[in-house]
Amino acid sequence: MAQKDLYGVLGVAKDASQDEIKKAYRKLSKKYHPDLNKAPDAAEKFKEVQEAYDVLGDQQKRQNYDQYGSADGAQGGFGGFGGGQAGGFGGGGFGGGGFDDIFNQFFGGGGRRNPNAPRPGRDLQYQMTLTFEEAIFGKKTTITYTREAQCHTCGGNGAKPGTSPVTCHECGGSGYVTTVTNTPLGRMQSQQPCPVCHGTGQEIKEKCPTCGGSGHEEQKHEVEVTIPAGVDDGQQMCLQGQGEAGTHGGGYGDLFIIFQVTPSKDFRRDGTDIYFDQPISFVQAALGDEIMVKTVHGKVKLKVPAGTQGGTTFRLRGQGVPHLRGNSNGDERVTIKVQTPKNLNKGQRDALRDFAKASGETVSGTGKGNLFDKMRDKFNDN
Ligand SMILES: [Zn+2]
Ligand SMILES: [Zn+2]
């Protein structure tokens, strides 16, 4: 194809301004417009004018044209312009990894991971039941459980000792194979884990006799655990590296011990506070007394003032549960339950009648209770 002088096509000088180029283009495109000009070569000329203006009307394209000349003409693409631009674009934007990413986004591949990258092992859970007191004071214990450990024969690579895994011949080490399916919508490509190496990218020619190539073996594992004082029901404790073995040199997962604390017959617990109900006689409540109250740390003295009402709560500082962080303890909250005496003997009944009299009270009860009460009390006493 003959060389084209684009400036010549528009009839402007090489140093023409963009304005001059635009004016020349308008004039010529009107002149050769096929609707207006019925000359046989008008359409061809019109096309030439369009092409020339496509390049010269655009400053960047004009610069390229000036630099690389008109050797290939507007249709063929300019050496530097076409090739250079396309090259830069292909390499930077769309080549290699860029396209893979787009591909994977499209097909839900989730990103192509290196199949040989180290992957940590799974975490495990262990349910541990503690008594109420064990949770409060902590304990040392040894637990035994079964886990997938690194094979002791092959060290985890799955190959027979003296051999090593090789790059998978099927997928070339990528761990994926691409299949093409013809569908009514066109050819569909999909990626699937390689059926030979199951996505690992490595093939084991001679498998380890102990693990059969998995690199893992079941192990009865024993760990000594120190449970800190103050753990609570539902809390968990993480022992790093006591989970299952990783693959491709990845570390062990973790073990999570989940505590289940059995309730106490005597105490209720809320965080680091302990709640306890203390029964006292109505005489103790009325006259006041010094009593010994049960706590998880042993019996503790409590002064009950005269005239204490049922439901009154006293706080025994520091007699609760140790804080997991820090040296202090929570408290024990003691709720007073005033007991009404039952099955009074004659002496008690007389004393109470005297008491009522001294209080100016008139009481109609006999103090004997009914037959049902008597039977129930007898039953409970035995
Ligand atoms: Zn092995
Ligand atoms: Zn493979």
Side-chain angles (χ1 to χ4, degrees):
M1 179 176 264
Q3 286 187 0
K4 264 185 200 156
D5 174 13
L6 301 183
Y7 291 101
V9 170
L10 292 185
V12 294
K14 280 207 156 126
D15 59 357
S17 69
Q18 289 302 117
D19 228 3
E20 284 174 300
I21 288 170
K22 204 179 200 172
K23 269 183 197 158
Y25 160 72
R26 279 193 183 149
K27 201 176 121 193
L28 291 173
S29 61
K30 231 182 222 172
K31 181 176 169 188
Y32 293 117
H33 199 286
D35 290 348
L36 307 170
N37 192 326
K38 299 299 172 193
D41 64 347
E44 184 58 36
K45 290 241 184 205
F46 180 75
K47 204 177 141 201
E48 272 179 15
V49 167
Q50 292 294 332
E51 285 168 352
Y53 184 68
D54 274 347
V55 176
L56 299 184
D58 180 292
Q59 277 194 335
Q60 183 61 50
K61 287 183 187 174
R62 185 182 174 188
Q63 218 173 338
N64 284 323
Y65 174 75
D66 288 341
Q67 200 175 340
Y68 295 105
S70 59
D72 296 318
Q75 300 99 322
F78 303 94
F81 165 59
Q85 282 282 89
F89 189 55
F94 255 59
F99 186 72
D100 275 347
D101 287 349
I102 291 169
F103 183 86
N104 279 322
Q105 277 171 17
F106 241 82
F107 290 91
R112 193 192 286 204
R113 283 177 305 174
N114 175 3
N116 296 313
R119 250 175 292 166
R122 284 192 311 145
D123 294 336
L124 293 177
Q125 286 191 346
Y126 186 96
Q127 291 270 352
M128 186 185 282
T129 305
L130 300 174
T131 66
F132 191 78
E133 284 76 20
E134 283 171 342
I136 290 170
F137 296 108
K139 73 165 182 177
K140 259 199 172 121
T141 183
T142 303
I143 58 172
T144 309
Y145 54 99
T146 306
R147 69 169 181 174
E148 288 287 313
Q150 204 175 67
C151 172
H152 73 280
T153 305
C154 62
N157 70 12
K160 187 178 160 186
T163 71
S164 40
V166 294
T167 303
C168 174
H169 74 277
E170 181 75 17
C171 62
S174 70
Y176 288 93
V177 289
T178 303
T179 55
V180 179
T181 320
N182 287 309
T183 75
L185 297 172
R187 282 154 66 88
M188 299 291 285
Q189 275 195 354
S190 66
Q191 278 192 325
Q192 272 150 2
C194 171
V196 172
C197 65
H198 304 290
T200 65
Q202 293 202 319
E203 212 180 335
I204 297 163
K205 295 279 189 201
E206 288 184 86
K207 288 178 176 165
C208 166
T210 304
C211 64
S214 72
H216 288 176
E217 63 176 329
E218 244 182 32
Q219 178 201 49
K220 248 199 166 150
H221 186 54
E222 217 178 69
V223 188
E224 194 175 88
V225 188
T226 304
I227 299 150
V231 298
D232 207 346
D233 190 58
Q235 280 182 342
Q236 47 180 275
M237 179 179 166
C238 176
L239 298 183
Q240 286 188 343
Q242 303 297 346
E244 296 199 323
T247 44
H248 306 299
Y252 276 83
D254 299 331
L255 176 73
F256 289 88
I257 297 179
I258 300 161
F259 297 113
Q260 199 170 15
V261 180
T262 42
S264 161
K265 277 201 313 232
D266 299 319
F267 304 105
R268 278 178 302 113
R269 175 177 168 183
D270 182 13
T272 56
D273 283 342
I274 286 178
Y275 293 82
F276 180 69
D277 288 344
Q278 176 66 53
I280 60 173
S281 74
F282 83 109
V283 180
Q284 284 176 306
L287 301 179
D289 199 4
E290 213 171 67
I291 58 171
M292 296 305 284
V293 176
K294 198 171 175 180
T295 77
V296 293
H297 304 276
K299 292 219 169 192
V300 171
K301 202 183 277 179
L302 174 68
K303 247 186 105 133
V304 179
T308 294
Q309 302 296 316
T312 304
T313 297
F314 297 98
R315 180 157 66 160
L316 296 173
R317 279 185 192 277
Q319 299 298 336
V321 181
H323 289 104
L324 272 176
R325 293 178 198 85
N327 305 319
S328 60
N329 287 355
D331 305 323
E332 176 168 309
R333 286 159 197 279
V334 182
T335 302
I336 297 298
K337 303 281 175 188
V338 177
Q339 306 293 102
T340 304
K342 297 174 188 173
N343 304 321
L344 302 174
N345 58 33
K346 187 173 183 307
Q348 289 172 318
R349 282 200 298 272
D350 290 346
L352 284 176
R353 287 212 182 87
D354 287 346
F355 176 80
K357 207 170 172 186
S359 310
E361 240 183 301
T362 316
V363 181
S364 63
T366 62
K368 283 180 179 167
N370 58 35
L371 184 65
F372 176 75
D373 285 341
K374 276 184 186 160
M375 279 172 67
R376 183 191 58 200
D377 291 341
K378 194 152 179 121
F379 182 79
N380 286 344
D381 286 347
N382 292 342

